[in-house]
Structures are given as C-alpha cells and as structure tokens.
C-alpha cells in the first residue's frame, strides 16, 4: 500500500529525491544611520545567481522634496546613469491612485518619493532582479513597496507601489546601486541583497 504524503511536503523536498526549488542565500547586508545619497552593492555573485532579491527597510530622507527612489545597474563595472531605463509603476494610496511610467528614466523606479513626501517618513520595498549576469539578456526588475505619504489637504496617508522595470540593453550586470533620481540624502535604513540558488 502507498503512503499518503501532503503535496506541500513533497514540494519542499521532504521526500527523498524531490528537488529543492531553490533557496535564498544572503550576499550582503548594509546598515546606515548616517546620511548617504547612494548605496552600492559591487559584489553580487552574478555568475552564481540568475535571480537576486533585495529588501530595503525604513528609507528616510533629510529633505521634504519629492525624490523618486530606484535602482541603477553597473555594467562590467561601469554605472549606467543615462536615461535608458524603462518602468511602469502603480501607486495606490488611501486618498488616490495613479500610474507612473517612463521609457527614458535614469533609474528603475521603485517608489514615487523617498520620504513619503515628508522629512523622516519611512518607506520600505523589496524587489527581484533577473538575468543580471547574463550578457545575452536584458536585466529586469519587479518591485513592491509601502510607506506613508503627505498630501496637501489629505494629511498623512498610507501609500503603496508595485511595478516592474527593464534595462533594455543586453549586458553583464555586476553591481547594483540604490539611489534617488535627484540625489536627495537618505538615512536610517537597512538593505539586504540575496541570491536565489537554482535547484
């Protein structure tokens, strides 16, 4: 007689011979309490991982100016800062919804503002990055984020974003920068970069 085994247990490799679909492996964590305008990951093990996972906790800004946060990529050690990135972003807030998109941006945008529209307001996001080490493919990113925002007449509201982006040129990406499109100073946050092992 056969032995009944829950599908979930088989899926996660609890049966002998069942492949592990992949695991998250920490590459690096960076923590900042001082002010910076950009955070670089220059050792991303791009030849080992074809998928990377980035988590950002409690971005805050010393400026009340709107400062879109996003990602720039290093191609063979050279940072791509030109307006060549493309993205589509959906913003959902308790007071309004909006779409944000561009075919000529200097960042792969992950949120509309770094601060949530006010000094010291935290913002959090995570994203997946694909094909970074493959010189024959475009590099893609998908993200989701949340935080608070400040609007005239609406006060402080909950603000969420989700979307995707692409660097539409085939290249070997060997580094990642998290920054704002306007160079606004950021402080008080933790960022971790992971690789997803192939099964």
């Amino acid at each position: 007689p056969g032995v009944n085994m829950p599908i979930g247990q088989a899926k996660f490799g609890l049966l002998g011979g069942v492949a592990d679909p992949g695991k998250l492996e920490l590459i690096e964590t960076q923590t900042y309490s001082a002010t910076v305008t950009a955070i670089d990951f220059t050792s991303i093990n791009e030849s080992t991982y074809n998928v990377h996972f980035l988590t950002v906790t409690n971005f805050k800004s010393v400026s009340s100016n709107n400062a879109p946060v996003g990602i720039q990529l290093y191609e063979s050690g050279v940072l791509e800062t030109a307006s060549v990135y493309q993205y589509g972003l959906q913003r959902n807030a308790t007071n309004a919804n909006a779409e944000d998109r561009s075919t000529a941006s200097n960042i792969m945008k992950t949120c509309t503002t770094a601060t949530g529209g006010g000094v010291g307001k935290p913002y959090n996001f995570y994203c997946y990055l694909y094909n970074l080490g493959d010189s024959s493919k475009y590099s893609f990113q998908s993200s989701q984020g949340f935080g608070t925002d400040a609007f005239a007449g609406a006060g402080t509201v909950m603000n969420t974003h989700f979307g995707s982006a692409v660097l539409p040129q085939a290249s070997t990406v060997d580094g990642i920068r998290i920054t704002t499109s306007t160079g606004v100073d950021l402080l008080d946050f933790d960022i971790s970069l992971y690789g997803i092992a192939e099964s």
Side-chain angles (χ1 to χ4, degrees), residues 41-46 74-78 132 172-176:
F41 289 90
T42 55
S43 297
I44 66 171
N45 299 343
E46 71 280 356
Y74 283 88
E75 298 173 289
S76 299
V78 178
L132 299 189
T172 299
V173 171
D174 55 5
I176 301 167

Side-chain angles (χ1 to χ4, degrees), residues 55-184:
T55 64
V56 181
T57 305
N58 286 334
F59 256 123
K60 296 178 184 177
S61 175
V62 297
S63 171
S64 60
N65 296 328
N66 285 344
V69 170
I71 293 169
Q72 294 174 330
L73 301 176
Y74 283 88
E75 298 173 289
S76 299
V78 178
L79 183 64
E80 179 61 87
T81 59
S83 296
V84 295
Y85 300 99
Q86 301 178 15
Y87 69 84
L89 202 64
Q90 179 68 40
R91 173 182 166 273
N92 299 302
T94 50
N95 69 320
N97 301 318
E99 183 182 276
D100 184 7
R101 57 185 173 178
S102 175
T103 57
S105 174
N106 68 338
I107 59 172
M108 303 169 88
K109 192 185 288 190
T110 61
C111 77
T112 301
T113 63
T115 67
V119 174
K121 293 183 180 296
Y123 182 78
N124 310 272
F125 76 87
Y126 66 83
C127 69
Y128 291 90
L129 298 115
Y130 305 92
N131 306 327
L132 299 189
D134 192 332
S135 62
S136 67
K137 296 180 179 179
Y138 292 175
S139 295
F140 291 87
Q141 174 258 102
S142 62
S143 66
Q144 183 166 334
F146 61 94
T148 55
D149 218 330
F151 289 88
T156 299
V157 300
M158 187 64 188
N159 199 9
T160 65
H161 299 85
F162 64 90
S164 60
V166 62
L167 174 58
Q169 50 200 39
S171 61
T172 299
V173 171
D174 55 5
I176 301 167
R177 168 168 287 187
I178 299 90
T179 188
T180 68
S181 63
T182 55
V184 168

Side-chain angles (χ1 to χ4, degrees), residues 2-53:
V3 176
N4 292 326
M5 175 70 72
I7 293 175
Q9 290 184 15
K11 179 179 179 181
F12 288 102
L14 298 182
L15 285 176
V18 177
D20 185 344
K23 60 181 179 180
L24 215 57
E25 298 177 344
L26 178 65
I27 297 173
E28 184 182 0
T29 294
Q30 299 189 43
T31 300
Y32 289 87
S33 57
T35 299
V36 296
T37 57
I39 305 95
D40 287 331
F41 289 90
T42 55
S43 297
I44 66 171
N45 299 343
E46 71 280 356
S47 61
T48 301
Y49 306 109
N50 67 345
V51 180
H52 289 76
F53 180 65

